[in-house]
Amino acid sequence: MTNHEDWMIEMGGQEVRQAVGMASDRMLDEALRKGIRRAAAEQTGPMSRFRTAKRVRVASAVLAVLLVGGAGAAAGYKLYPVPAAGESQTNVQIPAYVEKMFDKSDNFLVMLKQAAEHGLYHKLNQSVSTGGYTLNIEGMVSDSRRIILFYTTENGNESLPLRLSYNHPPQLLDGQGRPLEGSFTWATYAKLPKDQPLTKGIMIFDFKESGQMPEKLQIQTTWSQLKPKGSNVSIKTESLIIPVTIQNGPHARDIEEHPIHVDISQSGQQITFTKMIQSPLRTDLEFDLKSSNGKKLEKIEATLNLASEEKQAKHRQNYDTMLRFDRTLVTPEGGAVYLTSSFYSEHRELWLKFYHASFEPDHEVEIAIDPKQGALVQTPDSQISLKQEPEKSSDQKLALRLMYGSQQPVQDGYFELKDTFTDADGQPHPFVQEYQAAEGTYLSIPNYQKYPGPFTFEIVKYWGNVLEMHEEKEQRIR
């Protein structure tokens, strides 16, 4: 899975979470729409855009469950070791700016505070500078599987904040500069005045298993200035590498394994959630996959709630009930979903909610377009529709919008097409495609009048050739 997708969705959804619990329903709806628009707008690659479309749809459902308000808990804990009473270190606090990044009831913020109280936060104040860019690691929270870094950056060249490069995500290295098994999961930034050359934020790294994290490592990050809107100025990029020593607290190796059995069977596919593993900073939902037709799982959305949907519907909770979705690991046999941890939470119930899974398409679709009319002349799927965009078209460019679905008017539908089309003579030509959430996929064809029609496009992926598993009723696992 592309980690930057989670990162950008996280950034886009942050405004939504900050509104939870203190805004009216109308304001919450607008915050949700704003977060969705921002998340979609900040996507870049076509594969990410397809996943974003799915992610946004599921995020809406998850937030709906959260704002509205099974099987019995399986037995068989493995617990090593549990936190002892009276061992908290409340005098150690995470950086103050972090508390302004999230709503006070957000489970991620609650988790960070609880980790600090159990001795898992350590101040570092370790800096490195290159080419006028400075990175300072203020501190870190770590357990046996996850590292959360609190950092600031300063741009010594101009009054522009720095941003992590999308093309070169952060990486963990050993002392010789070799990649470690741990990988970047997501990052987000605090809101600061735009005319200041400062950035404050957090970065999250994950190791799949306990015991993979070394005591000493290096963090490689690549930064560039936040480009002013409309600017054509070339942006300087710098790579900053900073060494870090992991300071394990007394509870860093706390971990809890809980066997579960939740079956989701649809369309010849079976996903079985088999185990929950919690450490202070992460919750894993492990699952097995059986496919009757050999289709490969591409995307899965599931989360855990601290209260049932019924309870949420009857009483609005004064705490965030949903554990944050962080990332997924997918293999042909199954995988794992990473969530925020509730290891030290006073709320002991956990309800598993499955929202969605999608599989890689096994065939491509070909459509033909009449450039003079801006209309479809051939399609194997009646739900594909096309609309010409006169206000975006000209004598030199034809602008079209592809959509999918039976709703009227059709307003959505992601399409990933090959990057060239063929004219009536079989000659290939380039075009531009861009997905916009809640609008569809836009096609821009330059110099289209030079080529004989119809134009033939190959659709690699769209909602009509992707097998999906849909939402299931929640089940209690603890």
Side-chain angles (χ1 to χ4, degrees):
M1 173 172 181
T2 304
N3 297 335
H4 277 298
E5 175 213 348
D6 281 340
W7 173 19
M8 295 315 303
I9 292 294
E10 176 59 37
M11 293 173 65
Q14 184 175 327
E15 297 166 26
V16 179
R17 288 189 300 277
Q18 290 174 332
V20 174
M22 59 183 179
S24 67
D25 290 342
R26 179 182 60 80
M27 291 173 67
L28 287 169
D29 288 343
E30 177 56 28
L32 174 60
R33 288 192 292 271
K34 185 177 181 181
I36 288 173
R37 288 195 297 269
R38 178 177 172 184
E42 298 205 43
Q43 293 300 304
T44 51
M47 290 294 288
S48 294
R49 286 195 293 271
F50 179 79
R51 291 169 178 152
T52 300
K54 293 299 184 185
R55 183 63 176 278
V56 165
R57 187 176 65 181
V58 175
S60 303
V62 173
L63 280 167
V65 172
L66 172 61
L67 298 175
V68 165
Y77 277 103
K78 288 184 181 179
L79 193 63
Y80 354 55
V82 294
E87 292 186 21
S88 63
Q89 302 179 12
T90 54
N91 60 319
V92 179
Q93 296 182 347
I94 59 177
Y97 72 82
V98 179
E99 297 202 36
K100 298 178 181 179
M101 295 172 65
F102 307 94
D103 180 75
K104 64 180 180 179
S105 65
D106 189 292
N107 274 314
F108 185 79
L109 179 60
V110 172
M111 178 192 73
L112 292 178
K113 289 182 175 181
Q114 290 172 339
E117 290 172 355
H118 286 81
L120 297 177
Y121 174 71
H122 301 280
K123 292 183 179 179
L124 293 179
N125 289 324
Q126 198 157 336
S127 296
V128 62
S129 297
T130 302
Y133 294 177
T134 299
L135 166 66
N136 179 60
I137 305 296
E138 292 191 40
M140 67 183 300
V141 174
S142 63
D143 62 15
S144 61
R145 308 183 303 161
R146 170 166 281 191
I147 299 171
I148 302 176
L149 296 175
F150 307 94
Y151 69 88
T152 61
T153 66
E154 184 170 2
N155 182 2
N157 300 321
E158 296 185 50
S159 294
L160 295 171
L162 301 180
R163 290 293 184 261
L164 286 163
S165 168
Y166 298 123
N167 297 322
H168 304 282
Q171 193 173 16
L172 297 180
L173 308 173
D174 66 13
Q176 287 72 48
R178 297 169 300 194
L180 292 170
E181 294 187 57
S183 59
F184 171 69
T185 293
W186 59 270
T188 189
Y189 312 109
K191 290 184 178 179
L192 298 174
K194 293 182 179 179
D195 58 349
Q196 291 188 10
L198 300 175
T199 300
K200 297 184 178 182
I202 58 176
M203 282 184 256
I204 293 90
F205 298 87
D206 281 296
F207 289 82
K208 186 177 179 182
E209 307 285 350
S210 297
Q212 293 180 334
M213 188 187 302
E215 180 182 353
K216 295 185 178 182
L217 51 81
Q218 298 183 92
I219 300 162
Q220 177 175 282
T221 54
T222 303
W223 302 86
S224 59
Q225 295 174 164
L226 182 62
K227 190 173 183 178
K229 188 174 181 180
S231 171
N232 294 320
V233 176
S234 146
I235 299 299
K236 183 169 70 75
T237 298
E238 294 287 353
S239 181
L240 301 176
I241 300 177
I242 189 166
V244 168
T245 298
I246 307 297
Q247 302 179 43
N248 287 323
H251 295 293
R253 298 196 178 278
D254 287 359
I255 197 162
E256 185 178 292
E257 296 186 9
H258 185 47
I260 58 178
H261 187 87
V262 177
D263 269 335
I264 311 293
S265 296
Q266 298 176 18
S267 306
Q269 317 299 314
Q270 179 177 306
I271 292 175
T272 303
F273 292 92
T274 59
K275 185 188 294 185
M276 180 188 74
I277 304 174
Q278 279 199 324
S279 55
L281 301 178
R282 198 177 85 206
T283 300
D284 296 4
L285 284 175
E286 294 189 354
F287 63 89
D288 294 336
L289 170 66
K290 292 182 180 178
S291 174
S292 62
N293 51 20
K295 289 184 178 292
K296 294 181 179 179
L297 179 67
E298 182 179 71
K299 184 76 173 178
I300 181 170
E301 300 278 0
T303 190
L304 291 172
N305 287 310
L306 302 174
S308 66
E309 291 178 341
E310 181 181 3
K311 185 176 180 180
Q312 294 178 61
K314 289 181 178 179
H315 307 285
R316 176 166 290 212
Q317 309 302 315
N318 60 1
Y319 59 92
D320 190 350
T321 61
M322 184 186 70
L323 299 186
R324 179 192 309 271
F325 178 99
D326 283 340
R327 69 186 293 183
T328 56
L329 300 179
V330 175
T331 70
E333 295 76 32
V337 179
Y338 288 177
L339 306 167
T340 293
S341 179
S342 62
F343 192 86
Y344 299 120
S345 174
E346 64 188 54
H347 308 288
R348 302 310 296 164
E349 287 186 17
L350 283 174
W351 295 77
L352 191 155
K353 179 69 176 183
F354 174 83
Y355 285 95
H356 170 263
S358 60
F359 295 78
E360 292 182 354
D362 57 2
H363 66 283
E364 297 178 351
V365 172
E366 193 174 89
I367 61 172
I369 296 173
D370 179 354
K372 293 183 179 179
Q373 300 296 323
L376 282 171
V377 294
Q378 176 186 326
T379 173
D381 188 333
S382 61
Q383 295 205 76
I384 297 175
S385 59
L386 183 76
K387 178 182 178 182
Q388 187 170 356
E389 300 289 307
E391 68 280 5
K392 297 181 180 180
S393 298
S394 65
D395 291 341
Q396 289 77 38
K397 180 182 73 174
L398 176 62
L400 304 168
R401 179 159 63 114
L402 270 176
M403 297 159 287
Y404 184 77
S406 57
Q407 67 268 28
Q408 296 295 329
V410 179
Q411 292 183 335
D412 208 351
Y414 171 80
F415 295 83
E416 180 191 333
L417 299 91
K418 290 189 175 179
D419 57 6
T420 60
F421 69 91
T422 57
D423 61 23
D425 293 334
Q427 296 300 309
H429 307 284
F431 71 100
V432 177
Q433 57 182 306
E434 180 181 6
Y435 171 73
Q436 293 289 337
E439 295 183 21
T441 297
Y442 288 90
L443 310 182
S444 178
I445 308 170
N447 304 315
Y448 73 101
Q449 292 186 349
K450 296 181 179 180
Y451 317 128
F455 299 163
T456 300
F457 297 80
E458 290 186 56
I459 301 173
V460 177
K461 181 184 298 183
Y462 76 115
W463 289 358
N465 71 345
V466 173
L467 175 65
E468 298 182 336
M469 298 176 69
H470 303 288
E471 184 174 342
E472 291 267 356
K473 184 178 179 181
E474 65 179 0
Q475 294 192 44
R476 185 174 180 178
I477 64 169
R478 187 172 74 183

